[in-house]
Amino acid sequence: MNILRQIELEHMKPAIPDFGIGDSVDVHYLIKEGDKERVQLFSGTVISFQGSGTRRSATIRRLVAGEGVERTFPLHSPRVADIAVKERGIVRRAKLYYLREREGKATRLDPNLGKHQYPRAGKGSGLSKGDAAPAQ
Amino acid sequence: MSLGSATLGILGKKIGMTQIFSNDGNVVPVTVVQAGPCRVLQVKMATAAEHPEGHRTASTNLGKKRGRQNRPRAADGYYAVQLGFDDKPARVSSKAELGAAKKAGLEAGKRFVREFRLAAAPTQKPGDEVTVALLGSTSHVDVTGTTKGRGWAGTIKRWSFSRQPTSHGNSLNHRTGGGLGRQHSISSGVPRGKRMAGHYGVEKVTVQRLEVVKIDEARNLVYLRGAVPGHNNGYLVLRKTVKNDRAVDIKPGLVVKNAAQKAVAGKAAKK
C-alpha cells in the first residue's frame, strides 16, 4: 500500500459524519479563548466539498443579516468536533455556487426523503477496496 | 567548506507531500522522506595508521603485463564516511560496485552513494547501518536534492523576468527577454552572464533549515515542514542544518517529536 496514503489514513479521523451537498448542518467548532476551549456553532448549507484524504474540506454557506457568509472547514481537523445534519436537501449538482446569487426564500432547497444521491463528505477518503483499516 | 560543522548526515528518498494537523489543530504542510536505512560502504581516514584495516596492504592492478602488486595502504588525507542507500540488484551492479559492496559485507551495490566529510575520525565501520534515529537530536535539517527538469525554458520561468504587454500595439514580443543591454558608444557585445533562455532544472539545490516535525523509526520516515527539491522518489541528502538548530523555535502546540525537544519546549513555555 502506498506509504503516503497510509500516513494520511493515520492522521484522518476514523469516521466523519455522513452528510452531503445541499444538507443543512451545524458545525461544532472548538475555539480557544485564553486557556478555555468552547464550542462555536456554524449553521448553514453545504455548498461544496474539496480535496481528498486529510485535506478533505467542506464549504458551508449561511445568510447573516442578509449578507452571505461562507466558511470552509477541514473535515479531519481536531477543531471540527462534530457536524450534525439538520435537514437533507435535494440538489442536482456537486457545487451549489448558484446560491450565491440568491437571497431569502430562493435559497431554500427541497427536502430529501432518502432516495436522492449526491456527493458525500466521506468520498475521496483515499480508501479503496483491499486497503487495511487505519492503524490507530 | 569549513569542516567545523561537518557531521554525518543520512541519505533518503522523497515520498511525497501531504498535510497533517498539529495538536492544536493547525495544518502543517509536510514532506515525507524515507531516510535510510543506509549502509556504511567505506570509511576514509586522514592517515593510514588510523584506518581500521590499516595493517592490510591494498592491491593494485597495474595491467596485464605488470600484474597485481601489493603496496602499503595510502592515507585518504581526510575523514569521511561513505553511505549507500537503496538496494540495487546484483545483476545491474557493476563489478567495481560489487567489489566495494563486498568490503562492506553486502551482496550487491547501492543505487545512491554519497560521502560525508567529517571533522574528526569517524567511529563507524564499513557495514554499519545508519537509520533515521541519527536525526533524533536534530530539530532542523538541510536537504540537498536534484530539482525537477524544466527543459528549455524562457526568461520568465527561468529568471523570473516580467512579461511585456499583451496589447497596446505590442506585437510578437510578449514573453521575449527584451534588450541585451549596452550602448553602442560604450562598448559592443553582450555582457557576460546576461540572463537568457536556456536549460533550466535538474540542478543540485539545497534547502536550508527545514523543521523536523516527526520521526517514524519503524518505517524509516521523517516528516519535514515545507518542500524539498525534486520529484517524488528522487534521492536526497539530509544533514543537520548549518544554520541555527535551536529546538526553542518549536511553537507551543506543534507536534513535539521527542523527549529532548519536549523538555526544551516545556522550559520555553514556563518562561
Side-chain angles (χ1 to χ4, degrees):
Chain A
M1 184 177 169
N2 183 323
I3 302 175
L4 209 55
R5 203 199 288 168
Q6 178 74 51
I7 288 165
E8 289 210 346
L9 284 175
E10 286 162 15
H11 288 90
M12 279 159 62
K13 294 178 183 172
I16 47 176
D18 181 41
F19 65 99
I21 298 290
D23 291 353
S24 295
V25 293
D26 280 345
V27 180
H28 297 246
Y29 193 69
L30 292 174
I31 287 192
K32 260 195 180 160
E33 284 177 340
D35 287 348
K36 275 193 208 161
E37 263 197 349
R38 68 178 184 87
V39 175
Q40 190 188 54
L41 276 190
F42 188 86
S43 317
T45 313
V46 183
I47 64 164
S48 128
F49 287 119
Q50 304 91 17
S52 64
T54 49
R55 295 171 304 281
R56 187 87 168 152
S57 64
T59 303
I60 319 285
R61 180 180 172 87
R62 68 172 297 185
L63 288 172
V64 177
E67 190 64 40
V69 175
E70 285 178 16
R71 276 188 77 171
T72 303
F73 294 95
L75 298 182
H76 292 281
S77 166
R79 285 199 197 151
V80 175
D82 190 23
I83 296 173
V85 181
K86 289 194 295 189
E87 200 179 32
R88 299 198 184 271
I90 289 183
V91 290
R92 302 183 69 158
R93 54 211 74 223
K95 311 280 182 196
L96 303 189
Y97 296 145
Y98 66 88
L99 291 180
R100 291 172 176 170
E101 277 127 46
R102 298 192 180 184
E103 284 177 10
K105 281 189 177 177
T107 60
R108 287 177 308 171
L109 300 168
D110 287 339
N112 186 352
L113 301 174
K115 281 183 187 168
H116 204 72
Q117 291 294 313
Y118 43 83
R120 325 237 13 128
K123 206 186 163 198
S125 65
L127 265 178
S128 60
K129 269 183 199 170
D131 280 352
Q136 285 296 323
Chain B
M1 176 185 140
S2 150
L3 288 178
S5 61
T7 50
L8 185 63
I10 192 167
L11 308 179
K13 192 189 213 178
K14 176 172 172 179
I15 300 293
M17 289 196 73
T18 184
Q19 292 179 348
I20 59 174
F21 291 97
S22 66
N23 299 336
D24 62 353
N26 286 332
V27 164
V28 185
V30 291
T31 306
V32 180
V33 174
Q34 186 199 334
C38 300
R39 282 299 188 115
V40 176
L41 296 182
Q42 203 182 345
V43 171
K44 297 196 174 173
M45 294 291 184
T47 60
E50 287 172 298
H51 207 279
E53 298 165 12
H55 60 282
R56 284 220 319 243
T57 50
S59 59
T60 315
N61 194 349
L62 297 174
K64 219 175 189 178
K65 282 182 183 168
R66 292 163 68 196
R68 278 182 103 77
Q69 266 195 2
N70 285 337
R71 51 174 203 183
R73 182 178 197 91
D76 300 304
Y78 61 95
Y79 298 112
V81 167
Q82 190 187 72
L83 293 185
F85 171 69
D86 220 3
D87 290 332
K88 196 177 195 176
R91 70 188 149 76
V92 295
S93 304
S94 70
K95 278 192 174 177
E97 284 169 344
L98 286 174
K102 209 176 160 191
K103 284 183 183 172
L106 297 173
E107 297 285 299
K110 295 282 187 181
R111 287 191 190 275
F112 189 51
V113 177
R114 286 291 181 275
E115 194 172 289
F116 292 89
R117 284 191 74 156
L118 303 176
T123 51
Q124 288 84 1
K125 300 214 161 24
D128 283 0
E129 200 166 60
V130 175
T131 66
V132 250
L134 182 83
L135 299 175
S137 58
T138 312
S139 71
H140 293 82
V141 290
D142 292 345
V143 180
T144 307
T146 306
T147 58
K148 283 181 185 171
R150 290 159 179 93
W152 181 275
T155 50
I156 294 177
K157 182 175 287 192
R158 192 175 182 216
W159 298 109
S160 304
F161 278 19
S162 304
R163 65 160 170 74
Q164 294 172 40
T166 48
S167 63
H168 293 293
N170 189 357
S171 77
L172 308 180
N173 277 308
H174 307 294
R175 291 178 66 94
T176 58
L180 300 182
R182 295 263 176 136
Q183 289 157 15
H184 298 295
S185 58
I186 299 171
S187 65
S188 56
V190 176
R192 293 191 192 282
K194 174 70 196 152
R195 294 174 298 174
M196 297 184 193
H199 185 264
Y200 181 40
V202 202
E203 30 183 46
K204 184 178 165 185
V205 166
T206 301
V207 179
Q208 294 186 327
R209 208 170 187 276
L210 291 176
E211 185 188 321
V212 177
V213 176
K214 194 175 172 183
I215 290 177
D216 182 344
E217 287 186 28
R219 284 180 296 188
N220 296 304
L221 301 177
V222 52
Y223 297 45
L224 303 175
R225 187 192 188 101
V228 141
H231 52 75
N232 290 353
N233 293 327
Y235 289 121
L236 304 167
V237 179
L238 280 69
R239 283 174 235 260
K240 186 182 156 81
T241 185
V242 295
K243 292 199 166 175
N244 223 341
D245 184 35
R246 275 181 310 178
V248 234
D249 263 4
I250 299 168
K251 288 149 207 98
L254 255 180
V255 188
V256 174
K257 75 185 168 73
N258 63 31
Q261 286 197 352
K262 235 176 225 171
V264 181
K267 266 182 208 166
K270 269 178 203 167
K271 279 175 196 172

